[in-house]
Amino acid sequence: MEDWNEKCAIVGVYNVPNASILSYYALFAMQHRGQEASGISASNGKKIATHKQMGLVTKVFDAPTLKKLQGNSSIGHNRYSTAGEDSIDECQPIFARYSLGEMALAHNGNLTNAKEVRTRLIEDGAIFQSHLDTENIIHLIAKSPKKSLTNRIVDALEQIQGAYALVFLSRTKMFAVRDRYGLRPLSLGQITNPDGSMGYIVASETCAFDLIGATYIRDLAPGEMLVFEGAYSQHNTTPKSLQIFTPQPKFCIFEYVYFARPDSKVFGKNVYEIRKQMGIELAKEHKIQADMVIPVPDSGVAAAIGYSRESGIPFELGIIRNHYVGRTFIEPTQSARELKVKLKLNPIAAIIAGKEIIIIDDSIVRGTTSKQIIKILRQAGAKKIHLFISSPPTISPCYYGVDTPDVSELICANHSLEEVRDFIGADSLAFLSLSGLQKSIHHDDDNHQGFCQACFDGNYIIT
């Protein structure tokens, strides 16, 4: 429920009439991954048109705007921006003209050697238009001596490090690629066009497929690049797969904890089922008597259902969320923060008063939001409040494409469990163990594929 923010969502649509419209709906479905800016680039086979702007998808695009983005291929991007970077220059997709023609690029992730690469490019004469590490990739492609765009992309990716899911659009082709670790999700879907021909979509989450009626095929493998071509000819448009890096799977475990929509399939598994299993494991690890289990909406719902099912303690929607609250206050005063929580969340005193309750949430970051939730529940008359978290304590920031606080602001990295409990004001506080989280993910299979869990154990896979 607290301040975790995925930096973006990406989508690519190929060989589909009015591809930009499908990209629009896909971005709408993935709005939760970024609310600061949105953009789409589309190609009609001869030129690429781009529109991007600060704001939500529905604010950035309307029917006249989408009509200008003509063509059978398009890519799109939703962005979550960090402080000081709210400008049109930081929006994606990035568009450029270079020796092979035109190209647009959208990126989900973060390059860990971005500063070194940028410094080298600037020393070689490159001129940057933004602070985005994504712009490094455009320059590397433009400067590459390779003859084809496919080989130039590979050449550029061999020079960067970090986490990325990327979609590239040229005038006639589209490319989709994941880093060798597969840290950020990217799935492939198929679309049947009115004339019976096949179109394709790649997106950060499969909830985008559901909205437009696409069929999920598979996830891109770590280190895999798909090449889409033939949309502007009579040739087969089936994407060609190139394994450009040896796979070293380390998927982002926090996709399951918080980021992804519960109706999505991420890394080959349904998110809702895993979150519910996290609640089941939490109940196995932390048994306690109480009158009811209440989720923090919407982040704790699935886990609370699992906890209730395993423990036998009744599930209640004891807190109601107002979904129409946007930015409210600029001044960072305590009263403003408290009011903002009340605007978003309102407890039902009629069922809470005089009761011992278990509150389920997915994580604690700074602890300030949890503190305010506990406070409003006390004011509603709760007799005892137990806060149970369906993930391990967050002790390390992420450097792979997630906007997280510095380690100095992570309350669990700097305080004991008892100190955190005392700060938030709960009668008890408990977290799911890391082994319990892993059990939740693998409860229905024996395929223990690798995950990056640096936010929970401090073991970074890329330095």
Side-chain angles (χ1 to χ4, degrees):
M1 170 70 195
E2 292 200 56
D3 300 329
W4 288 95
N5 292 288
E6 175 70 42
K7 281 196 174 178
C8 55
I10 61 172
V11 62
V13 177
Y14 194 79
N15 197 43
V16 177
N18 300 313
S20 63
I21 295 177
L22 268 66
S23 286
Y24 166 84
Y25 284 118
L27 292 176
F28 179 83
M30 298 186 292
Q31 186 74 85
H32 59 286
R33 298 183 75 90
Q35 299 87 45
E36 298 298 324
S38 188
I40 294 175
S41 294
S43 175
N44 62 5
K46 297 180 180 179
K47 63 179 181 179
I48 296 174
T50 299
H51 180 79
K52 55 185 179 178
Q53 187 177 304
M54 304 299 296
L56 300 175
V57 175
T58 52
K59 176 186 174 183
V60 173
F61 298 100
D62 55 20
T65 302
L66 290 170
K67 192 173 182 180
K68 295 177 183 177
L69 299 172
Q70 297 182 352
N72 287 4
S73 57
S74 68
I75 63 172
H77 187 272
N78 282 340
R79 180 171 187 263
Y80 178 87
S81 62
T82 55
E85 304 294 339
D86 289 355
S87 75
I88 189 66
D89 291 336
E90 311 302 319
C91 299
Q92 297 187 45
I94 296 176
F95 171 79
R97 293 183 177 89
Y98 70 120
S99 60
L100 296 184
E102 297 179 346
M103 176 175 52
L105 165 62
H107 173 206
N108 177 20
N110 191 54
L111 306 184
T112 56
N113 67 335
K115 184 176 180 180
E116 294 84 350
V117 172
R118 177 180 288 247
T119 298
R120 173 166 56 86
L121 287 167
I122 291 174
E123 289 174 350
D124 289 342
I127 299 173
F128 283 80
Q129 302 297 315
S130 75
H131 297 93
L132 296 172
D133 54 1
T134 313
E135 195 175 352
N136 289 352
I137 302 172
I138 287 280
H139 284 287
L140 292 172
I141 291 171
K143 292 174 65 67
S144 173
K146 304 295 182 180
K147 300 301 181 184
S148 71
L149 178 53
T150 300
N151 290 334
R152 286 192 182 204
I153 292 173
V154 174
D155 185 30
L157 298 182
E158 288 175 342
Q159 300 177 64
I160 63 173
Q161 299 170 12
Y164 54 82
L166 301 161
V167 283
F168 300 85
L169 183 68
S170 73
R171 287 174 294 186
T172 60
K173 298 180 181 181
M174 187 176 81
F175 304 80
V177 61
R178 288 176 78 190
D179 64 69
R180 69 190 69 205
Y181 306 101
L183 273 158
R184 306 264 66 87
L186 194 60
S187 299
L188 171 66
Q190 191 174 71
I191 302 164
T192 302
N193 293 319
D195 63 1
S197 63
M198 289 296 109
Y200 296 92
I201 178 173
V202 292
S204 298
E205 291 190 33
T206 61
C207 61
F209 300 171
D210 299 335
L211 183 59
I212 65 173
T215 302
Y216 169 79
I217 299 175
R218 64 178 178 86
D219 288 355
L220 274 72
E224 180 184 20
M225 179 165 72
L226 293 180
V227 182
F228 300 81
E229 55 187 331
Y232 302 94
S233 67
Q234 299 302 312
H235 296 103
N236 181 16
T237 58
T238 302
K240 179 172 63 175
S241 172
L242 303 174
Q243 192 65 45
I244 59 176
F245 297 115
T246 301
Q248 302 175 42
K250 289 291 182 181
F251 307 138
C252 174
I253 205 165
F254 221 85
E255 289 285 346
Y256 289 139
V257 173
Y258 176 78
F259 295 132
R261 255 177 52 167
D263 52 334
S264 284
K265 180 182 284 188
V266 172
F267 308 135
K269 294 175 178 287
N270 177 259
V271 175
Y272 174 82
E273 290 296 334
I274 288 177
R275 288 180 184 163
K276 186 167 66 174
Q277 190 65 34
M278 288 157 62
I280 291 172
E281 295 297 332
L282 186 62
K284 291 177 180 178
E285 293 183 359
H286 302 285
K287 298 179 173 66
I288 193 171
Q289 293 300 314
D291 295 308
M292 65 185 71
V293 176
I294 295 175
V296 173
D298 296 317
S299 52
V301 173
I305 291 172
Y307 190 98
S308 173
R309 179 176 298 181
E310 178 65 22
S311 67
I313 300 172
F315 172 94
E316 294 284 356
L317 288 174
I319 304 173
I320 302 302
R321 179 185 175 191
N322 185 340
H323 290 81
Y324 303 99
V325 177
R327 295 189 174 187
T328 51
F329 296 99
I330 297 174
E331 56 275 1
T333 63
Q334 183 64 26
S335 60
R337 284 193 291 266
E338 290 181 10
L339 183 56
K340 188 167 185 178
V341 172
K342 290 181 180 179
L343 285 170
K344 287 185 177 181
L345 303 173
N346 189 43
I348 305 176
I351 68 170
I352 290 174
K355 299 296 194 303
E356 183 168 348
I357 60 178
I358 298 172
I359 306 299
I360 306 290
D361 205 357
D362 58 21
S363 60
I364 293 180
V365 184
R366 296 178 177 90
T368 50
T369 300
S370 298
K371 183 183 182 74
Q372 293 307 316
I373 291 171
I374 299 297
K375 183 176 181 179
I376 64 175
L377 290 170
R378 295 278 188 210
Q379 292 170 345
K383 181 174 68 174
K384 262 191 169 183
I385 302 172
H386 309 280
L387 179 60
F388 287 3
I389 305 298
S390 59
S391 67
T394 302
I395 61 170
S396 303
C398 178
Y399 302 111
Y400 309 138
V402 177
D403 178 35
T404 58
D406 183 80
V407 67
S408 63
E409 298 182 73
L410 296 174
I411 190 169
C412 293
N414 299 283
H415 299 277
S416 68
L417 181 67
E418 178 59 23
E419 288 172 336
V420 176
R421 184 209 61 76
D422 183 62
F423 173 78
I424 65 176
D427 291 286
S428 69
L429 172 65
F431 292 84
L432 180 65
S433 67
L434 190 51
S435 62
L437 177 57
Q438 293 164 344
K439 286 178 185 177
S440 303
I441 295 170
H442 302 299
H443 74 279
D444 60 350
D445 66 45
D446 295 320
N447 180 23
H448 286 207
Q449 51 198 359
F451 282 87
C452 174
Q453 50 198 34
C455 50
F456 299 134
D457 64 12
N459 295 322
Y460 293 99
I461 62 172
I462 313 168
T463 57

